[in-house]
Amino acid sequence: MQCQDCGRRMLEEYKDSFTYARGLALNAMFIEGFRSPIREHIPIWEEAIQHAQVSGDKHLLLLAIGHVASCRLWHGEDMAEIENYCMYAAEDFGDWSKDVRGGVYLTAVRQTSRALQGKTWFQSAETVFSDAEHDSASYLDYVVMHASNPERPRDIYHSWMMIPLYLFGFYDKAIEIGTATSESIHQLWTVRNNRLNLFYLSLSLLARLRENPSQLDDTNILDQVREYKSQIDAWQAESSVNYLMWSLLIEAEIADLTQKYHEATLCYEAAIDHCELYDFLLELALAFELQAEFFIRRGSKRAARSILLDSVGMYSRAGATGKADHLKAEHEWLLNHVATSRMADAEAQTGEEIGNATFTLDEAERQRKMSGDAAGDRTDDWISPKASNGQTDGDVSGLGLDVLDLQSIMEFNQAISSELQIDRLLGKMTGIILESAGAQADLAFVVIEGEGGWNVAAKGTADAVQAEAVSLSELHDETQKQVLLYTLRFKETVFIHNVLNDDRFCNTSASRSVISLPIVRGSDLLGVLYLEGQPNSFTDRNVGVLQLFCNQIAISISNALLFKKVQKVSAANASMIESQKIALAKARDAEIKAKAAEAEAIK
């Protein structure tokens, strides 16, 4: 670690784009995984991408793009978005999949995301990574033929393949590939794929052992799994954030096989808590799935059904619809025929009051679980409000939005989808939101992150809209500041009919109605949309429309920020080209003068 710090200081002091990009990549790939959560690696890789673009380092650029995609996949961001990122982030390089140095990693991440969406031919173990545009067997033959050291790209490709192989139940193929890969993957040193392979290999061995109880007396398999787990534990001791859930899930499966059921239950729960705390969404879905199957084997069908629904919900939330459908098909009888609920009282939509015509108790429980069990604990830390305060969840499917609402949403999407200048975009969307809210809203804020932290980037009232950044700390209204900080901290919607009745935000003498919505893209918090008006002026309908607005706002802000980065890189490239032109012109002038002097001397 001290060598890393020293190397980073040297890079900062003597950096050129080529060397600096490679130094950042080496740091993020081999060392940073022991120092910080995976999510914090994305800015490092994005900086490496910028310097690789300036220096023209194609191989590193592809590798860095692949690692950004992998970090997003680790945290369960939408698989379709990850696939699109893999496809288009490096489209300037033509057929980048043929690059056996950087393109293999990017190709493997793309195929993993496609497999989890159900877009590959995942019905067979041999074609789980193949589709109409990619044949895994042919691709590996190409890599082996053209790579100077084919084991490294092959092991990277196979380690990613282990995820769909295990999740779709191809344990024998996973054991075959994982065992072969484990013999040479040490060449990848401390790349996370090293332990990724051992994790899914361990789970596959334990699953195969469970399907063949006659082999339980053979301690060699369990000893081998414990050896793999000890290797994961060695890394986990340095970075529990990134590896503890793998160790816990393997320990839980071993405890189940050895009939230590209480220990297994504790390990499943600890793994779930860890995944929820650090946003490892795919591992969270897997932990729910393994825990549900554990309860099925114990005969607790109703508990298993509830946890299975959590697992399906998490896979769906990550965009892994292929895996979600596979899980529902595998446990179809349990999900469809085991009763766990009764119908709640029905409500009807009348005027300003919106309710769901039918709403089951298990649906309510599932929604609570989807938002995370820790949400209630966090709210208690902030002095939990009563249910009457109007807290809403993110589901707007039951709000009964009418034609005018849908027309507003369509006009909003059309108005902001083509705007790429971030200042104009924020000002335009603030004005449209105020207009759609009509007389109900007196004030609207859009908060995004700037260079100095979170800023109110756009502010709108009935009189005017301003798109000038003001630091959140400079807000004079303490209630506004508290509500915004609460939303930024917990990523939760705040809907209050009257802040005077809410104990969380009691430092106020003015009554008002407040809506504060997190603007989220995947699992990244981009900002907050804040509205306030007269007491009891907002309804669930307003929240529902604004939540739909937030989806488009997140996309537009992401596009605008990406455009801003592209402009910055383009400006840097233009500046570099201009400097090279000037230097070339000076060199030519010097050459002409030298030749003239030489000719004069000869005379």
Side-chain angles (χ1 to χ4, degrees), residues 135-258:
D135 181 83
S136 58
S138 300
Y139 183 72
L140 282 174
D141 290 341
Y142 175 86
V143 170
V144 171
M145 185 180 301
H146 291 86
S148 58
N149 182 2
E151 288 183 341
R152 292 180 186 173
R154 183 198 63 198
D155 289 347
I156 288 173
Y157 190 85
H158 277 158
S159 65
W160 282 107
M161 189 186 291
M162 291 290 288
I163 298 177
L165 281 174
Y166 175 78
L167 292 181
F168 289 116
F170 301 118
Y171 305 133
D172 290 334
K173 187 66 175 180
I175 293 170
E176 175 190 338
I177 289 179
T179 303
T181 303
S182 65
E183 296 176 359
S184 55
I185 204 169
H186 62 273
Q187 298 181 66
L188 297 179
W189 298 350
T190 53
V191 177
R192 197 166 194 259
N193 296 68
N194 188 318
R195 295 307 188 250
L196 171 71
N197 178 73
L198 295 183
F199 172 62
Y200 282 102
L201 174 57
S202 299
L203 292 184
S204 299
L205 287 167
L206 293 171
R208 178 55 64 228
L209 193 60
R210 183 177 289 112
E211 291 180 354
N212 295 277
S214 59
Q215 299 181 3
L216 285 174
D217 294 334
D218 184 359
T219 59
N220 292 333
I221 297 177
L222 283 177
D223 289 342
Q224 185 63 63
V225 171
R226 289 190 177 100
E227 169 59 26
Y228 292 149
K229 180 180 177 296
S230 69
Q231 296 181 42
I232 295 175
D233 288 341
W235 287 22
Q236 183 264 126
E238 299 295 331
S239 177
S240 62
V241 172
N242 296 326
Y243 299 102
L244 178 59
M245 65 284 185
W246 289 355
S247 179
L248 287 170
L249 288 176
I250 294 174
E251 184 65 33
E253 291 289 279
I254 293 175
D256 178 32
L257 279 170
T258 55

Side-chain angles (χ1 to χ4, degrees), residues 516-572:
S516 183
L517 298 167
I519 301 172
V520 179
R521 177 74 164 164
S523 56
D524 293 328
L525 179 65
L526 301 181
V528 173
L529 174 62
Y530 174 92
L531 276 80
E532 70 178 38
Q534 295 301 312
N536 301 309
S537 59
F538 296 132
T539 66
D540 288 341
R541 186 192 299 271
N542 295 116
V543 179
V545 173
L546 291 173
Q547 284 174 332
L548 294 176
F549 278 176
C550 279
N551 295 335
Q552 182 61 36
I553 290 173
I555 296 172
S556 297
I557 290 178
S558 297
N559 292 340
L561 293 176
L562 179 60
F563 180 73
K564 192 173 182 179
K565 287 183 180 179
V566 171
Q567 282 185 317
K568 187 181 295 185
V569 173
S570 299

